[in-house]
Amino acid sequence: MKFTGYYYHALCALRIILACCPQTGYIHPDEHFQGPEIVYGDVLNLKIHKTWEFTEEKPIRNIIFPYFIIGLPALLMEFTGLKSFYGTSLFPYILLVMPRIIMCFLSFLNDYLIYKIYVLMKKDHKIPLLLFSSSYVTIVYLTRTFSNSLEVLFFSHVIFILCKFLFIQKNYENSDENKYTACLKLSFLFGVTLAAGIFNRPTFVCFTAFPVLLFFFLILQLGRNFENCVLYFVSFVVGIFCITFSFIAVDSLYYNKFHYTSLFNLQKHLTVTPLNFILYNINKKNLNSHGLHPYWLHICVNIPLLFSLYGVLMILYLIKYLIKIFKQNFLNLEMFLLLSFATPLFLLSLIPHQEPRFLIPLLFPFVLLQCYFSSNRIFRKYIFVYLWCFQNIISILFFGFLHQGGVYLSLSYIHSFLLDHSNCALVFYKTYMPPRYVLGLTEEYNKVKIYDFAGIDIGEFEIQINNMIFQSDPRYIHFVVPHDVSVSVDNLNILKSKYKLQHRNYIYPHLSTENLPKYNEFMDIIYTNSSLLHKIHQFKKVFSICILTFKVNTT
């Protein structure tokens, strides 16, 4: 495939457009509940749902990064008058998109680091940049407010720092005072990045296990004497200490309202979120509530899902090249990149709970390694290039638009309705957990109740309606459900006895993998005696989310 700069620039534009697009898929609840939900609730005083990660007893999430990403847009809305859009469909859009735009521009730092590393390697940077920018992981995941997306940036910076160390080590004979100063600064930056990455996600330890070992080995080689080695190490520790002290102080202030009078009882008042994270996850009962997976899932399923067939080839070539490089020379860039890919993959595979997004930082070494494998005939075969393009296009459409795509749009639709009809109940069933901040409701809207029934069976659902919703006696009830579930909800006798259906709205596109459309439903549409236009309309309904609005029966 012949590269031109237009491909890369077009893909960069696509990344920005998708970040700004309101019709986007809902990949995972953590996108909203690890940041926007918390910060918008604090800054804009919106009604939110604070998840267990941010509880005051044992919080496991650092608060600095959510405030850095979402706090700035929230304050911007507060001071620039953007809150004047409150009550319009533009208000939920601004709440959703502004943090994504910040994440999108942060993702371009990864592109810049790829360019800088390839300059150090004296190799052509065009193909790696095209590969990175064409991945759906970059276009979809890195434009979302995931802690995993920030983890990619921290990991790429760690690799960049170690590449600089390797470059200095390679040119060791020509070293001078400037290189001593450079190593001192890099050691400090490495400590800062390592600590910040761990506070963002403690699993960052898995990604930096080999880079840390290589760092210690390199400072022993680069230090002309024992004093220099000690200074490099001290600079590294100072970087770690500065971040650790600052982050613990901020977390303690936020979660415990820490005061100087609490200095006499530090153990009780200090909040160390990475430690809480580790203590929570080493308890297998806690992991069991999130789902336990086989150890081979990352290698056999998640790697191909993220990196197409190139990911499978990478694992196959990994074993071959590791053996070859071990026999030749341990200290070279290729070996470093291979182990930076292999070590976290192995360590994360030992953790029972496994999701594809946990591996997205591996995209960075995966891209950098292509310069070593691109000369291989198998890697250059057009079938793999076409498969890479096809899989990423499908994944962008699925994760970027279709997957749970109606959840946000339904919240945006209901936003303006609730301002005039405060005595309402919102019921979400067979959908992902709805982010409350998108509704834009302040605490004064205490008559608006939100219920999330996840995926319980229809019988239990009817019982919960009677026990929970009817007790508050709402005037309106909005049911947000997938299309096929809407029929079951509409036929509930308990609803018909007190409420009447006022209107039904379909919002396209939406698909829930937990509640896939039935095969018979497709066949009925295909074989029905109706026009093509009507069939298309019916297919759109199948891939839609339905909002059923019931009003209390006053007759």
Side-chain angles (χ1 to χ4, degrees):
M1 180 178 62
K2 186 177 180 180
F3 174 84
T4 66
Y6 296 112
Y7 293 143
Y8 174 68
H9 294 142
L11 289 165
C12 290
L14 178 63
R15 203 187 311 180
I16 297 171
I17 291 169
L18 191 62
C20 299
C21 181
Q23 286 186 308
T24 51
Y26 186 1
I27 306 174
H28 194 277
D30 283 354
E31 176 192 349
H32 299 284
F33 290 93
Q34 286 183 6
E37 189 82 351
I38 303 300
V39 178
Y40 282 136
D42 292 342
V43 178
L44 300 180
N45 195 32
L46 300 180
K47 289 186 71 173
I48 60 152
H49 173 65
K50 187 174 286 190
T51 56
W52 61 274
E53 292 103 327
F54 294 89
T55 56
E56 294 183 2
E57 293 181 1
K58 291 290 181 180
I60 70 169
R61 295 293 178 192
N62 173 262
I63 201 62
I64 288 179
F65 294 112
Y67 263 83
F68 174 72
I69 302 297
I70 299 102
L72 292 176
L75 290 172
L76 189 65
M77 292 183 68
E78 190 75 33
F79 292 113
T80 60
L82 287 175
K83 284 187 70 176
S84 60
F85 290 109
Y86 189 79
T88 68
S89 58
L90 197 58
F91 186 73
Y93 171 76
I94 294 172
L95 291 177
L96 179 81
V97 166
M98 289 186 72
R100 288 184 176 181
I101 293 173
I102 292 178
M103 289 299 298
C104 179
F105 282 103
L106 283 176
S107 73
F108 285 110
L109 293 176
N110 296 299
D111 300 60
Y112 176 71
L113 291 174
I114 291 172
Y115 166 76
K116 293 294 288 183
I117 290 173
Y118 268 76
V119 169
L120 283 176
M121 296 163 62
K122 296 180 179 178
K123 293 181 180 290
D124 187 9
H125 60 272
K126 294 177 182 178
I127 296 298
L129 281 176
L130 181 61
L131 191 69
F132 181 79
S133 60
S134 62
S135 171
Y136 83 93
V137 173
T138 302
I139 295 172
V140 178
Y141 279 93
L142 298 195
T143 58
R144 306 298 182 90
T145 52
F146 286 113
S147 57
N148 308 92
S149 302
L150 283 176
E151 194 173 29
V152 177
L153 184 57
F154 287 122
F155 189 42
S156 62
H157 196 239
V158 162
I159 290 177
F160 173 70
I161 291 171
L162 267 294
C163 287
K164 294 273 284 186
F165 267 117
L166 285 169
F167 177 77
I168 294 172
Q169 185 264 344
K170 184 179 179 182
N171 299 275
Y172 180 70
E173 294 178 358
N174 301 321
S175 61
D176 51 20
E177 190 66 26
N178 290 333
K179 290 186 178 179
Y180 162 76
T181 306
C183 286
L184 210 58
K185 291 179 179 178
L186 287 173
S187 299
F188 178 77
L189 282 174
F190 186 59
V192 167
T193 307
L194 179 65
I198 290 172
F199 270 88
N200 175 59
R201 280 190 71 84
T203 52
F204 192 61
V205 172
C206 298
F207 291 96
T208 54
F210 178 71
V212 168
L213 291 175
L214 181 59
F215 167 75
F216 289 137
F217 187 81
L218 287 173
I219 63 172
L220 290 175
Q221 281 205 336
L222 292 169
R224 287 186 175 275
N225 50 54
F226 179 73
E227 182 182 350
N228 284 359
C229 293
V230 172
L231 286 174
Y232 294 152
F233 180 74
V234 169
S235 180
F236 170 69
V237 172
V238 169
I240 292 177
F241 177 78
C242 289
I243 292 296
T244 302
F245 177 80
S246 303
F247 281 36
I248 289 176
V250 172
D251 283 338
S252 300
L253 283 167
Y254 179 81
Y255 287 112
N256 298 313
K257 309 299 184 286
F258 188 77
H259 194 260
Y260 71 91
T261 55
S262 304
L263 291 172
F264 300 103
N265 195 358
L266 285 175
Q267 185 178 0
K268 183 177 179 181
H269 291 91
L270 284 183
T271 299
V272 187
T273 50
L275 179 61
N276 293 340
F277 183 97
I278 293 168
L279 292 175
Y280 178 87
N281 283 281
I282 59 176
N283 187 338
K284 199 166 184 178
K285 290 182 180 178
N286 293 332
L287 288 180
N288 190 43
S289 64
H290 299 281
L292 299 180
H293 306 106
Y295 295 120
W296 47 261
L297 188 69
H298 272 328
I299 295 175
C300 297
V301 177
N302 294 338
I303 285 291
L305 185 64
L306 292 171
F307 308 126
S308 185
L309 198 55
Y310 280 127
V312 178
L313 292 176
M314 179 67 73
I315 294 172
L316 296 176
Y317 274 85
L318 189 64
I319 302 169
K320 175 185 173 181
Y321 276 86
L322 281 176
I323 296 171
K324 177 183 174 182
I325 297 170
F326 267 121
K327 289 179 179 179
Q328 292 179 352
N329 179 19
F330 179 77
L331 277 178
N332 60 61
L333 188 55
E334 185 179 6
M335 185 64 179
F336 165 60
L337 294 175
L338 279 167
L339 286 176
S340 295
F341 184 90
T343 305
L345 177 59
F346 171 74
L347 293 175
L348 290 171
S349 296
L350 298 178
I351 300 174
H353 180 61
Q354 301 181 13
E355 295 181 28
R357 63 191 176 94
F358 296 164
L359 297 182
I360 64 175
L362 295 181
L363 176 65
F364 197 80
F366 168 79
V367 168
L368 293 177
L369 281 164
Q370 298 310 306
C371 70
Y372 296 101
F373 299 138
S374 59
S375 59
N376 188 285
R377 287 184 303 169
I378 296 179
F379 276 83
R380 288 187 299 166
K381 283 186 177 293
Y382 281 108
I383 182 65
F384 296 117
V385 176
Y386 293 146
L387 185 60
W388 170 267
C389 296
F390 176 76
Q391 179 171 332
N392 282 288
I393 290 170
I394 295 299
S395 297
I396 289 169
L397 293 174
F398 180 74
F399 293 109
F401 294 96
L402 191 56
H403 185 256
Q404 296 283 346
V407 175
Y408 160 72
L409 293 173
S410 63
L411 290 166
S412 180
Y413 171 83
I414 294 171
H415 166 72
S416 55
F417 181 91
L418 294 180
L419 298 177
D420 300 323
H421 307 84
S422 59
N423 188 9
C424 296
L426 271 66
V427 181
F428 291 83
Y429 182 46
K430 300 284 187 179
T431 71
Y432 271 9
M433 187 189 300
R436 275 64 162 178
Y437 76 88
V438 178
L439 289 168
L441 299 177
T442 56
E443 290 294 337
E444 62 193 47
Y445 286 91
N446 53 7
K447 289 188 177 182
V448 177
K449 306 294 182 182
I450 302 171
Y451 304 90
D452 177 25
F453 291 117
I456 62 175
D457 63 70
I458 192 69
E460 180 65 22
F461 177 65
E462 189 169 8
I463 294 171
Q464 294 297 330
I465 290 174
N466 185 53
N467 294 343
M468 296 178 64
I469 300 173
F470 284 177
Q471 299 304 315
S472 60
D473 196 25
R475 182 174 177 82
Y476 294 92
I477 304 179
H478 299 277
F479 289 91
V480 182
V481 294
H483 163 67
D484 62 324
V485 180
S486 65
V487 179
S488 302
V489 173
D490 193 14
N491 291 330
L492 289 176
N493 292 323
I494 194 170
L495 270 176
K496 291 180 178 180
S497 62
K498 294 186 177 182
Y499 290 84
K500 61 180 179 181
L501 181 65
Q502 192 174 37
H503 53 83
R504 181 196 304 260
N505 290 287
Y506 291 96
I507 296 178
Y508 173 86
H510 178 88
L511 178 66
S512 171
T513 53
E514 292 82 5
N515 192 73
L516 291 170
K518 305 295 187 297
Y519 173 78
N520 292 339
E521 194 169 5
F522 285 115
M523 292 297 101
D524 290 342
I525 296 173
I526 291 171
Y527 290 112
T528 187
N529 293 324
S530 59
S531 65
L532 178 62
L533 192 62
H534 182 264
K535 288 181 180 180
I536 293 172
H537 181 69
Q538 291 300 111
F539 274 119
K540 281 189 67 176
K541 280 188 176 182
V542 171
F543 292 101
S544 298
I545 199 167
C546 186
I547 303 175
L548 299 171
T549 302
F550 286 84
K551 184 179 180 181
V552 67
N553 195 347
T554 55
T555 57

